[in-house]
Amino acid sequence: MHKLATRNRKKVMENVWLLSSLVLSFATPTWATSMTKHDEFTSLKEAFHQLSVETNKQVNSLRERVEVLEKEHFKKDQVIAGLQKALDISETHEVTPSIIKANIHKRIASSTVAFHTCFTNNANYLGRNQILLFDKVVTDTHSSYTRSAGSYSIPATGFYVITWVTPVLGNIPFELVINGQPRGRTDPSNTHNGQTQSTTGIAVLSLYENDNISIRTNPGVSPTGVLVNNEWQDCCLSLWKI
């Protein structure tokens, strides 16, 4: 009986040992595999962390570079703006006759129109239908007078006062001419006592831009005598816009 118990106990122990061997043989590869996977996961985690750190460094470096470039761009814009301002000031203060004339025309283009011209010497031997060539321009706000033609071109449409003064020694009738057509007349004649006679003509007319104004001798009468211009009296043509 004792022997049988001993034999059974030995048999059980063998089975336990066999079972333990089987469990250990199964568990050992599984545990090794788990450890290997854990190590791989840890390595990947460390690599990802390192990559994140490097990426953040690169991003921060790029951000700093962008800020530097933006500051440089802003400074360049300020420099360009300063140069443009200086150029504008330079151009504004660059004074030439043409710029002065242009500025004058700009200021008066829609406001004052005025013109005044005279002879500087007597005019002798005038004929019929002869345009008076006034040679001394005193006022011409728009530079509209042509001396060689004795003609003034109206710079802006509107109402104008026109006056002409003609002192003569003799008999010389005159006409105010608009675009070749008479619009006013004077007939200064002296009293044959050797003294001059001065006559002033005046007209208020509605005129259009580019209408031409001039004074001429009457085409139907032969003039006699002299158109006088001296230190006591002037032969003049004047007009202004009202």
Side-chain angles (χ1 to χ4, degrees):
M1 191 70 181
H2 177 76
K3 291 182 178 179
L4 179 60
T6 301
R7 190 181 306 119
N8 288 337
R9 188 181 302 111
K10 184 179 180 180
K11 187 66 175 178
V12 169
M13 291 301 293
E14 290 177 352
N15 289 337
V16 170
W17 182 84
L18 179 61
L19 180 60
S20 299
S21 299
L22 289 174
V23 169
L24 288 172
S25 65
F26 177 79
T28 300
T30 303
W31 178 81
T33 302
S34 298
M35 289 300 295
T36 301
K37 290 184 177 179
H38 180 268
D39 292 340
E40 290 177 354
F41 177 77
T42 301
S43 298
L44 289 173
K45 184 177 180 181
E46 290 177 353
F48 178 78
H49 176 71
Q50 186 64 29
L51 180 61
S52 297
V53 171
E54 293 296 329
T55 302
N56 287 334
K57 288 181 179 179
Q58 293 178 1
V59 169
N60 290 333
S61 177
L62 290 174
R63 184 179 291 112
E64 291 174 355
R65 181 57 179 165
V66 169
E67 291 177 353
V68 170
L69 291 174
E70 288 178 344
K71 290 179 180 179
E72 291 178 353
H73 183 70
F74 178 74
K75 289 180 179 178
K76 289 180 180 179
D77 287 345
Q78 286 184 321
V79 171
I80 292 173
L83 292 174
Q84 184 62 50
K85 184 177 181 180
L87 179 61
D88 292 341
I89 293 174
S90 176
E91 291 178 347
T92 301
H93 289 80
E94 182 181 1
V95 180
T96 63
S98 60
I99 291 177
I100 294 174
K101 185 177 180 180
N103 289 337
I104 292 174
H105 284 185
K106 186 181 297 184
R107 288 195 298 269
I108 64 179
S110 60
S111 56
T112 303
V113 178
F115 172 67
H116 180 65
T117 183
C118 301
F119 272 95
T120 55
N121 295 293
N122 294 342
N124 299 292
Y125 312 111
L126 296 174
R128 295 185 182 186
N129 196 31
Q130 182 172 340
I131 299 295
L132 299 186
L133 304 180
F134 298 94
D135 58 343
K136 179 183 178 182
V137 176
V138 179
T139 303
D140 189 355
T141 57
H142 286 69
S143 301
S144 295
Y145 180 64
T146 304
R147 296 187 186 188
S148 60
S151 177
Y152 180 85
S153 179
I154 294 297
T157 299
F159 287 94
Y160 287 80
V161 177
I162 305 172
T163 181
W164 62 105
V165 179
T166 51
V168 300
L169 183 60
N171 181 23
I172 310 177
F174 294 97
E175 291 182 338
L176 168 66
V177 181
I178 312 293
N179 299 327
Q181 300 299 316
R183 300 293 295 274
R185 295 184 175 88
T186 57
D187 185 13
S189 299
N190 65 1
T191 57
H192 302 288
N193 59 1
Q195 297 181 350
T196 59
Q197 176 69 31
S198 182
T199 302
T200 299
I202 189 168
V204 181
L205 302 173
S206 174
L207 301 174
Y208 295 94
E209 184 177 356
N210 297 323
D211 281 348
N212 290 312
I213 313 299
S214 57
I215 302 295
R216 71 183 181 190
T217 58
N218 193 306
V221 179
S222 296
T224 59
V226 178
L227 181 62
V228 178
N229 194 90
N230 53 40
E231 57 182 320
W232 297 284
Q233 50 196 344
D234 292 321
C235 175
C236 299
L237 168 64
S238 305
L239 64 82
W240 60 94
K241 186 174 181 290
I242 57 175

